[in-house]
Amino acid sequence: MRASEATTYYFNKAADQLELPDWVRKLLVTNKREVTVQVAFERDNGRSETVLGYRVQHDNARGPMKGGLRYHPAVDLDEVRALAALMTWKTAVVELPYGGAKGGIGIDPKTLSKREMERMPRAFVDQLHEIVGPDSDIPAPDMGTNHEVMAWFRNQWEKYHGFNPAVITGKPVEEYGARGREEATGRGVGTVAVKMMKRLNIRPDQCRTAIQGFGNVGSHAGKYLHEAAFPIVAVSDLSGTYFNAKGLNIPELFSYVIKNKGTLEGYSGAEQLPAEDLLGLDVDLLIPAALGDVITKENADRIRAKSIIEAANGPIDPEADEILAARNITILPDILANAGGVTVSYFEWVQNRQHYRWSLDRVRQELDRTLSDAFEQVWQESSTRNVSLRTAAFMLAINRVQRASELAGWLI
């Protein structure tokens, strides 16, 4: 199933519960705008290379559109469509005044020098600067991009439109970025994990946890949960799974990855297993924090975890979701679980508009409050309606977008 089909599948499950007519469904799932552009840039050897870039703007009923910019060789229009729609539902479920958008460039960032990495967003902005901006569509970092790319994007956009750091979020702190933005998605995963385990009557110190993916999101989630007394028994990346039944030394792993250029390869402080073994470990909580579609109908029966929190975007495909639900495995969906990043992006945008900077403590407090409130609303909706947490999250989000559209007169 393609990424956009999976998103539509989850949308329709919730829409069925809400008894939405077909014409409303069509309006809410149809993208406002889809743009494919030619991104031509110069390689360091002087040769020109051309790749495709995409920006999909899904919905602006609740405010400016918001969504990341990713570099990955697998980026295509279908993936970007799905992620743009997910951003609409994600911002709605945590009640941020945004709609959804997403962008991407089909290239492997590992093949680019730093100078080439800088040329990419500048060439992209040259093609798209008229349709993005602080009141229309606000990009942010995603897979394969970082705060430096955001700074280059902002600098190029301002050459056309003048000073306005609110055009993009995820910037370096020195360039009007928000304190705590780098840790935000992982910290948010940790916040909702603590809330969910409390609801499931599992004590933190008895919640054996495995994290698939130990990049920015997985490592910060692990750090937060370790500090909350969760025993993290396994983490993984492309180099393998690192396992300790009594709990890994997460601060040591966190430092090791920073010093080892972002990889766990060579870490000797734990038993090493094949990377794919992590998904089948007998744990209380599994956190997929890497790529999408890692749990499918082919491997769903291998999952032994009692609960799953989707730190990645779309890590469970719909067929696997049905299999896991039939086994009473509690799943907290991505549109809530990984909303910490866009939440702190919103805080950054607010600070840029106010020309005022918040402290790290205030950012963390506001993030924890926002996600905790959203979790409780989703949990209550799930309990009241007797639906999964995923369907409950989509129902709340769809209701909010529909209501905003009605108030604006778009559904008359």
Side-chain angles (χ1 to χ4, degrees):
M1 189 179 291
R2 294 186 305 167
S4 59
E5 291 173 335
T7 303
T8 302
Y9 173 84
Y10 293 134
F11 171 90
N12 281 326
K13 284 194 70 173
D16 288 344
Q17 290 286 331
L18 296 169
E19 300 180 344
L20 289 187
D22 289 343
W23 69 274
V24 175
R25 297 187 193 209
K26 185 175 182 180
L27 185 144
L28 294 180
V29 301
T30 303
N31 294 315
K32 298 292 183 184
R33 178 187 285 139
E34 298 180 356
V35 180
T36 301
V37 297
Q38 178 193 74
V39 182
F41 68 103
E42 184 181 345
R43 288 283 191 176
D44 288 344
N45 61 13
R47 297 184 65 179
S48 179
E49 183 167 342
T50 301
V51 294
L52 291 180
Y54 309 94
R55 191 71 183 175
V56 173
Q57 298 172 331
H58 176 253
D59 188 274
N60 62 352
R62 301 181 65 256
M65 292 167 284
K66 188 84 181 71
L69 171 63
R70 62 172 50 186
Y71 293 173
H72 194 274
V75 165
D76 61 17
L77 187 56
D78 184 73
E79 179 188 55
V80 177
R81 284 171 177 156
L83 294 171
L86 281 174
M87 284 301 299
T88 294
W89 314 127
K90 184 181 297 185
T91 54
V93 83
V94 293
E95 297 200 86
L96 303 181
Y98 285 144
K102 205 73 175 186
I105 299 175
I107 196 166
D108 185 352
K110 295 178 182 176
T111 68
L112 301 173
S113 70
K114 185 170 183 177
R115 290 174 60 84
E116 291 167 344
M117 280 285 286
E118 179 177 351
R119 295 181 190 123
M120 292 288 293
R122 293 188 185 278
F124 195 52
V125 170
D126 289 342
Q127 299 287 333
L128 292 173
H129 68 90
E130 292 180 343
I131 66 167
V132 299
D135 295 311
S136 56
D137 179 2
I138 307 137
D142 201 286
M143 184 188 305
T145 62
N146 57 23
H147 63 280
E148 281 190 312
V149 175
M150 300 303 104
W152 296 325
F153 188 108
R154 173 201 159 204
N155 178 265
Q156 191 71 12
W157 186 88
E158 288 183 340
K159 290 179 181 179
Y160 292 98
H161 301 280
F163 176 79
N164 199 330
V167 64
I168 199 163
T169 61
K171 304 179 295 293
V173 173
E174 301 87 346
E175 289 286 317
Y176 303 94
R179 295 182 176 96
R181 175 61 181 83
E182 184 177 342
E183 69 175 30
T185 305
R187 182 180 180 87
V189 170
T191 298
V192 294
V194 171
K195 299 286 289 185
M196 190 165 88
M197 292 306 107
K198 185 176 181 180
R199 284 289 191 172
L200 295 175
N201 296 315
I202 299 175
R203 284 174 40 187
D205 61 354
Q206 294 181 350
C207 185
R208 295 168 302 121
T209 303
I211 302 174
Q212 190 230 10
F214 207 66
N216 180 60
V217 177
S219 62
H220 281 288
K223 183 173 180 288
Y224 183 97
L225 291 173
H226 174 79
E227 292 170 355
F230 282 60
I232 314 297
V233 299
V235 299
S236 71
D237 65 6
L238 291 175
S239 68
T241 293
Y242 299 83
F243 176 78
N244 185 328
K246 295 181 179 180
L248 294 163
N249 186 334
I250 296 299
E252 181 179 271
L253 276 166
F254 194 87
S255 298
Y256 182 88
V257 167
I258 293 172
K259 294 175 183 176
N260 202 40
K261 298 180 179 179
T263 177
L264 290 164
E265 188 170 8
Y267 180 70
S268 59
E271 178 184 356
Q272 187 169 354
L273 307 170
E276 61 272 16
D277 282 9
L278 182 133
L279 293 177
L281 293 175
D282 183 12
V283 293
D284 299 289
L285 174 61
L286 171 63
I287 302 177
L291 295 172
D293 283 331
V294 296
I295 301 176
T296 66
K297 66 177 181 179
E298 282 77 24
N299 65 6
D301 287 337
R302 291 182 49 222
I303 303 299
R304 300 164 68 193
K306 299 176 180 64
S307 56
I308 300 174
I309 292 179
E310 293 185 323
N313 285 315
I316 304 173
D317 75 18
E319 292 173 305
D321 192 65
E322 296 289 348
I323 294 170
L324 298 173
R327 294 171 51 198
N328 295 317
I329 295 174
T330 304
I331 301 171
L332 192 68
D334 49 4
I335 62 170
L336 172 57
N338 65 27
V342 70
T343 300
V344 174
S345 276
Y346 167 63
F347 299 159
E348 180 177 336
W349 180 78
V350 168
Q351 292 171 73
N352 292 162
R353 302 304 295 262
Q354 295 177 333
H355 300 282
Y356 182 78
R357 175 163 287 176
W358 296 2
S359 68
L360 177 59
D361 283 346
R362 181 178 178 185
V363 170
R364 286 175 169 174
Q365 288 169 6
E366 292 289 340
L367 172 63
D368 293 351
R369 179 192 59 77
T370 300
L371 294 186
S372 294
D373 288 350
F375 174 86
E376 293 299 336
Q377 291 168 10
V378 169
W379 190 274
Q380 185 63 38
E381 184 78 359
S382 172
S383 301
T384 302
R385 295 275 198 155
N386 193 28
V387 296
S388 70
L389 293 172
R390 188 189 307 281
T391 298
F394 270 88
M395 288 171 67
L396 287 172
I398 291 167
N399 260 326
R400 289 164 183 166
V401 175
Q402 180 188 8
R403 181 61 175 156
S405 299
E406 289 172 340
L407 289 171
W410 296 354
L411 297 186
I412 294 175

